[in-house]
Amino acid sequence: MAAEDRPQIYLISPAEIDLVSFPDHLARMLDAVDIACVRLALAARDEDIIGRAADAVRAVAHERDVAVVIETHFRMAERHGLDGVHLTDGAKTIRDARKLLGTDAIVGAFCGISRHDGMNAGEAGADYVAFGPVGATALGTGLPADRELFAWWSEMIEVPVVAEGGLTDALVLDYASVTDFLGIGQEIWKSDDPIAALKKLIAPLG
């Protein structure tokens, strides 16, 4: 696959991270694989835990000119010098996030499998829309976002699209031509060697 046709890699953090070891793991991964953006997607709701994680991830990623977005907590994005936010409620809070973060910030929205929600998010000013899951996972409703949705979006809508959730090497190959980004996270973090797992997953891209 020609380089200009390949989707970029959008790395999603584990739900829990060890602040002692994860920054080093992340640094090695960003050095080993060309990654466009990192999403901090923690399950924690403790502001101190999220804040310290945000600072650690930002330091590693920004040293390598990789953007960082935080899931949901757009007020923390501004406070911790992140590049933007990934919203999980479609278009509902895009305007609030944009008002606070400004026009230069990245504001993305997860829209499940809904073409309608995706279009609303784009009209509200989202910089990208994510659909998923594309594979077997409990992400969202668990119902799959099929290839036809991505093919239609890529042909009809200018807003970049992310395919995420349950990716396999076969799905990477199948969706590569109809998505701008591949959102990869849970597929690799349970591996003893996440870097090797990521390289194997995206090997079909060439």
Side-chain angles (χ1 to χ4, degrees), residues 7-206:
Q8 298 182 74
I9 306 305
Y10 176 116
L11 184 68
I12 305 167
S13 80
E16 297 181 6
I17 63 175
D18 180 347
L19 285 177
V20 174
S21 60
F22 184 74
D24 181 60
H25 292 322
L26 178 62
R28 288 190 285 110
M29 182 166 286
L30 297 185
D31 289 340
V33 179
D34 187 11
I35 290 171
C37 183
V38 176
R39 183 202 305 171
L40 183 62
L42 300 184
R45 291 296 176 262
D46 183 281
E47 186 173 328
D48 180 62
I49 291 173
I50 298 172
R52 288 188 289 117
D55 289 340
V57 169
R58 183 201 68 240
V60 171
H62 282 187
E63 184 178 356
R64 293 160 175 81
D65 294 322
V66 175
V68 181
V69 297
I70 189 169
E71 191 165 284
T72 304
H73 307 291
F74 58 84
R75 289 174 180 82
M76 297 191 74
E78 180 186 46
R79 193 177 309 154
H80 292 274
L82 308 183
D83 299 282
V85 64
H86 173 85
L87 302 170
T88 58
D89 58 357
K92 292 178 182 177
T93 52
I94 289 174
R95 289 186 172 89
D96 291 336
R98 181 66 71 195
K99 183 177 180 180
L100 178 70
L101 299 177
T103 57
D104 292 336
I106 300 168
V107 177
F110 177 71
C111 296
I113 62 172
S114 174
R115 180 184 301 187
H116 177 72
D117 287 352
M119 292 176 68
N120 284 344
E123 290 171 1
D127 293 298
Y128 70 82
V129 164
F131 293 119
V134 296
T137 173
L139 180 69
T141 64
L143 296 173
D146 60 31
R147 190 181 187 281
E148 182 182 352
L149 170 61
F150 289 88
W152 176 87
W153 186 274
S154 295
E155 181 178 352
M156 302 299 294
I157 308 295
E158 292 184 2
V159 177
V161 63
V162 180
E164 65 175 83
L167 284 164
T168 62
D169 52 358
L171 287 170
V172 165
L173 181 61
D174 191 28
Y175 281 66
S177 63
V178 293
T179 192
D180 299 289
F181 297 89
L182 294 167
I184 298 172
Q186 62 179 354
E187 298 90 343
I188 63 172
W189 294 120
K190 292 182 179 179
S191 170
D192 291 335
D193 188 344
I195 295 175
L198 176 57
K199 287 182 175 180
K200 180 179 179 182
L201 186 62
I202 64 174
L205 300 179

